[in-house]
Amino acid sequence: MSRLFLSACLTAMLGACASAPAPEAPAVPVAEAEPAAPPERAIPAESLYPLLLGEFALRRREYGTALELYTQQASLLRDRGVSAHTTHIAQFMQQERAARESAALWVELEPDNVEANNTYATLLSRVGRTNEALPHLAMVARDQGKANFPILLNRFPELDSEQQRELVDGLEALSAEFPDNPSLLLTRALAYDELQQHQQALDVLARLFDKEPYQYQGLLLEAKLLLEQDRDAPFAHIEEALAANPDDSRLRLQYARLLTRSDIDAARGQFEILSARSPEDGNLLFSLALINHEIGDNLAAKAYLNQLIELGQRSDEAHYYLGRIAEDADDLQAAVEAYMKVSEADSGDFYSAKGRIARILLENGEEDQARALFVNLRQAHPEARERLYALEAEVLSGVGDNDAAMAVLNEALSTLPESSSLRYSRSLLGEKQGNLTLMESDLRAIIAREPDNATALNALGYSLANRTQRYEEARELIERALILEPDEPAILDSMGWVLYRQGNYEDALFYLERAYRAFPDPEVAAHLGEVLWVSGRAEQARAIWGDALLKDPEHEILLSTIQRFDISMLQSAP
């Protein structure tokens, strides 16, 4: 009973549980012929009923029941057709683990089946088991000459260095068997790029282009590498490809996006070409609006935004940026009118727009109107009350009225006492006002309800380390957060900071350097520079602080740290 698709065979199965072997196919060589079906075998009596139930469950769209029944029978019957069918059902239901397990059995039973190997390799790659997937893709390449090797890199950054090296070694070994396989060449180049081995990546790309001169992903990778190395004419190959095929809109779009990093005027030209060919493509119009706004041509930007509104595409974003343009021009009435037209409460632009209206009102002394704005918004959008309360407090705090912000959060928590996000906001504001008792009370209330809330654990631990001498207690909280999120830069920074406060400079640097590599934020830079300075590595501290100053020359924590150690840096800072 092989390749069993019961929905097509119910009558035959009910009429007889076994059939004679199929006649042999004529001995005529046929290219790409399907392998001859093996002889059918009897369905065990105890399996017939569950299989029929599974098939009827599929017909009734009771997919969970069908998958459960087929999974049981696949392991009992060890039949390649049942295993294949089980894999397909699991994939349809997006049950990745079940699909992986049934595909593994399918490959075991039918090791030369291309679909089975390709499916299993894809499922393995999705969970980072890339080194297990490689031989299955190699089988596909041997059979068909083509295999989607780049899927092996889907989770490449999440592999440890040993696993990454093992995969690259496997790819290199396979290249001896398939030296000219474009998919394998591209995958090797992408892997070298991930490992920061840029020249090796370019060398492999050169071999790829010998086979496919204008391979799409290869062109983009080459341009990226040349840009990073500040090479001359990094886009020459893409431009050559577009000259050969000017209608390749996909490549032109990526080229335009790459140009936004280095030549905004040239990027505008490419987007204009694309938009002329697709005049009602809202995404292209929006890109053109943003580019023109970026280079200061707000007349053109407004024209594109109004065109979007007329087409009924991305209207909220268009109104929001029309408001920004009007606000930049100090036309506050037009800005407020545009912001008010942003109406979809489930979009980020809605909250940004309403926040900007409130800020305009507050900065012009219209506190009552700002308050009324949020009251009306909460009445109109009761499902968004929590977020609107938080936004009102954020805007008030942003204009320096922390007392009013605290009053809003107190009101919010009297209405929504179970809101962890509002309580967290109040804890931060409490610390900002020096009310450490309120800060700790709110964070501990969150942790009591949500003991695995890494954000609250880290916030309390960092605050205790930074504002008190309760270092052991702080470290315990941060360690709990780190177990929950071991790679979170904010928690790594906190761990480094509490270790520093305890006098453990060497271990502090380990965590702070990890945090800074993952997230080169000015506050992390301030902490890392301070520990380097007190460890006698002043030049390294200066370099870290100097880079951070270039990014944010007015960062309060960074500036206060530098002032405590090296006032001369501030005098020469940009």
Side-chain angles (χ1 to χ4, degrees):
M1 184 186 61
S2 200
R3 302 183 181 279
L4 180 60
F5 291 89
L6 292 169
S7 58
C9 305
L10 280 173
T11 303
M13 288 199 324
L14 291 170
C17 289
S19 61
E24 292 187 6
V28 178
V30 180
E32 304 293 331
E34 287 288 326
E40 294 184 6
R41 61 181 174 82
I43 304 171
E46 62 271 19
S47 293
L48 180 58
Y49 184 63
L51 289 170
L52 289 173
L53 280 181
E55 195 59 31
F56 280 120
L58 283 178
R59 288 170 175 258
R60 293 192 299 269
R61 300 185 181 182
E62 296 173 2
Y63 300 118
T65 300
L67 179 59
E68 182 180 356
L69 289 164
Y70 269 106
T71 299
Q72 292 170 353
Q73 293 305 310
S75 61
L76 288 171
L77 294 171
R78 294 183 59 80
D79 178 272
R80 65 182 190 173
V82 174
S83 298
H85 202 32
T86 306
T87 304
H88 296 148
I89 296 169
Q91 286 183 291
F92 175 77
M93 293 183 64
Q94 298 181 343
Q95 296 292 319
E96 293 275 308
R97 181 175 179 178
R100 224 171 26 251
E101 291 172 353
S102 57
L105 179 57
W106 185 12
V107 168
E108 179 188 342
L109 297 168
E110 200 169 6
D112 295 330
N113 185 292
V114 171
E115 183 190 357
N117 279 276
N118 194 54
T119 300
Y120 190 39
T122 301
L123 293 166
L124 288 171
S125 296
R126 286 178 185 168
V127 293
R129 293 166 59 183
T130 49
N131 290 301
E132 297 175 60
L134 182 58
H136 297 287
L137 284 177
M139 180 272 158
V140 174
R142 291 185 190 104
D143 186 273
Q144 295 189 338
K146 292 183 178 180
N148 187 14
F149 287 109
I151 64 171
L152 296 169
L153 304 180
N154 286 347
R155 305 285 289 272
F156 191 80
E158 299 172 25
L159 303 178
D160 62 38
S161 58
E162 183 177 344
Q163 291 172 317
Q164 290 179 343
R165 189 68 255 173
E166 183 182 348
L167 178 59
V168 172
D169 289 345
L171 293 170
E172 290 173 345
L174 202 58
S175 68
E177 183 178 354
F178 302 107
D180 299 325
N181 184 293
S183 177
L184 183 56
L185 287 167
L186 174 64
T187 305
R188 290 176 61 207
L190 290 166
Y192 285 134
D193 176 48
E194 289 282 356
L195 295 174
Q196 304 296 309
Q197 297 175 3
H198 297 148
Q199 189 54 53
Q200 291 95 319
L202 288 169
D203 292 343
V204 174
L205 285 174
R207 293 180 57 192
L208 171 63
F209 294 137
D210 286 341
K211 303 301 171 186
E212 295 187 14
Y214 302 137
Q215 205 280 338
Y216 172 74
Q217 290 170 282
L219 287 170
L220 297 178
L221 177 58
E222 181 189 48
K224 168 187 168 292
L225 290 168
L226 295 177
L227 270 175
E228 289 174 351
Q229 296 181 22
D230 201 24
R231 300 274 192 97
D232 292 334
F235 303 120
H237 200 171
I238 289 180
E239 290 164 357
E240 178 187 326
L242 287 172
N245 186 8
D247 294 328
D248 188 346
S249 296
R250 182 176 68 152
L251 179 60
R252 191 178 297 280
L253 177 60
Q254 294 304 322
Y255 175 42
R257 288 172 175 166
L258 284 170
L259 283 170
T260 59
R261 305 179 192 177
S262 57
D263 189 340
I264 199 73
D265 283 320
R268 176 170 65 170
Q270 293 299 319
F271 275 112
E272 286 172 345
I273 293 171
L274 289 162
S275 186
R277 292 175 179 170
S278 303
E280 295 189 358
D281 187 323
N283 293 327
L284 295 174
L285 291 169
F286 187 65
S287 295
L288 279 166
L290 294 186
I291 287 172
N292 280 283
H293 178 51
E294 176 73 18
I295 64 179
D297 190 348
N298 284 327
L299 188 63
K302 288 165 66 175
Y304 286 120
L305 292 169
N306 282 313
Q307 193 174 343
L308 273 173
I309 293 168
E310 290 172 9
L311 290 170
Q313 298 182 42
R314 304 185 73 156
S315 298
D316 271 4
E317 292 166 290
H319 284 303
Y320 176 73
Y321 279 98
L322 284 170
R324 290 296 301 269
I325 291 169
E327 191 177 352
D328 290 344
D330 209 29
D331 188 348
L332 300 184
Q333 181 177 347
V336 169
E337 289 173 359
Y339 290 143
M340 286 300 295
K341 292 176 182 176
V342 181
S343 58
E344 294 295 329
D346 58 351
S347 74
D349 288 321
F350 176 86
Y351 298 96
S352 297
K354 305 320 175 192
R356 297 196 79 86
I357 293 172
R359 181 177 285 272
I360 289 170
L361 293 172
L362 289 168
E363 288 177 346
N364 284 274
E366 300 181 35
E367 291 84 359
D368 291 342
Q369 290 88 333
R371 177 66 175 162
L373 169 70
F374 282 107
V375 170
N376 292 333
L377 285 171
R378 285 191 287 270
Q379 290 174 347
H381 303 282
E383 76 288 351
R385 285 182 304 161
E386 183 178 35
R387 192 166 176 182
L388 287 165
Y389 270 124
L391 177 62
E392 183 177 7
E394 179 186 335
V395 173
L396 287 164
S397 181
V399 298
D401 196 345
N402 290 326
D403 290 339
M406 182 62 75
V408 167
L409 290 172
N410 288 336
E411 176 190 329
L413 283 164
S414 68
T415 304
L416 302 166
E418 301 302 313
S419 171
S420 292
S421 64
L422 289 171
R423 198 168 293 279
Y424 183 77
S425 295
R426 190 172 71 174
S427 76
L428 297 181
L429 185 57
E431 182 183 30
K432 189 175 182 180
Q433 292 182 308
N435 190 343
L436 300 187
T437 301
L438 176 63
M439 176 274 296
E440 183 171 354
S441 172
D442 276 339
L443 289 174
R444 289 201 182 278
I446 295 171
I447 294 166
R449 284 199 305 269
E450 304 169 24
D452 290 339
N453 189 317
T455 301
L457 287 165
N458 180 59
L460 181 54
Y462 176 77
S463 296
L464 292 178
N466 198 47
R467 303 290 293 272
T468 77
Q469 294 183 354
R470 294 156 61 185
Y471 301 137
E472 285 300 327
E473 189 178 352
R475 182 171 173 176
E476 180 184 343
L477 289 160
I478 296 165
E479 284 174 343
R480 286 171 59 188
L482 199 59
I483 290 170
L484 294 165
E485 296 187 21
D487 298 317
E488 170 56 45
I491 303 175
L492 293 169
D493 174 63
S494 296
M495 180 58 77
W497 193 241
V498 73
L499 288 167
Y500 166 61
R501 301 279 279 182
Q502 290 181 309
N504 188 344
Y505 298 168
E506 184 177 349
D507 288 346
L509 284 173
F510 170 77
Y511 285 101
L512 290 169
E513 286 170 347
R514 280 184 63 195
Y516 191 66
R517 281 196 301 271
F519 185 55
D521 174 78
E523 184 170 351
V524 181
H527 293 161
L528 176 57
E530 179 165 340
V531 181
L532 286 168
W533 187 279
V534 300
S535 300
R537 295 156 65 178
E539 287 308 311
Q540 288 178 265
R542 284 174 177 271
I544 294 290
W545 288 335
D547 287 344
L549 278 174
L550 289 173
K551 295 174 185 174
D552 192 345
E554 297 181 2
H555 192 277
E556 183 178 347
I557 294 174
L558 178 64
L559 292 177
S560 65
T561 301
I562 295 171
Q563 277 183 321
R564 283 190 287 114
F565 291 98
D566 190 27
I567 189 69
S568 62
M569 270 195 79
L570 291 180
Q571 294 170 347
S572 59

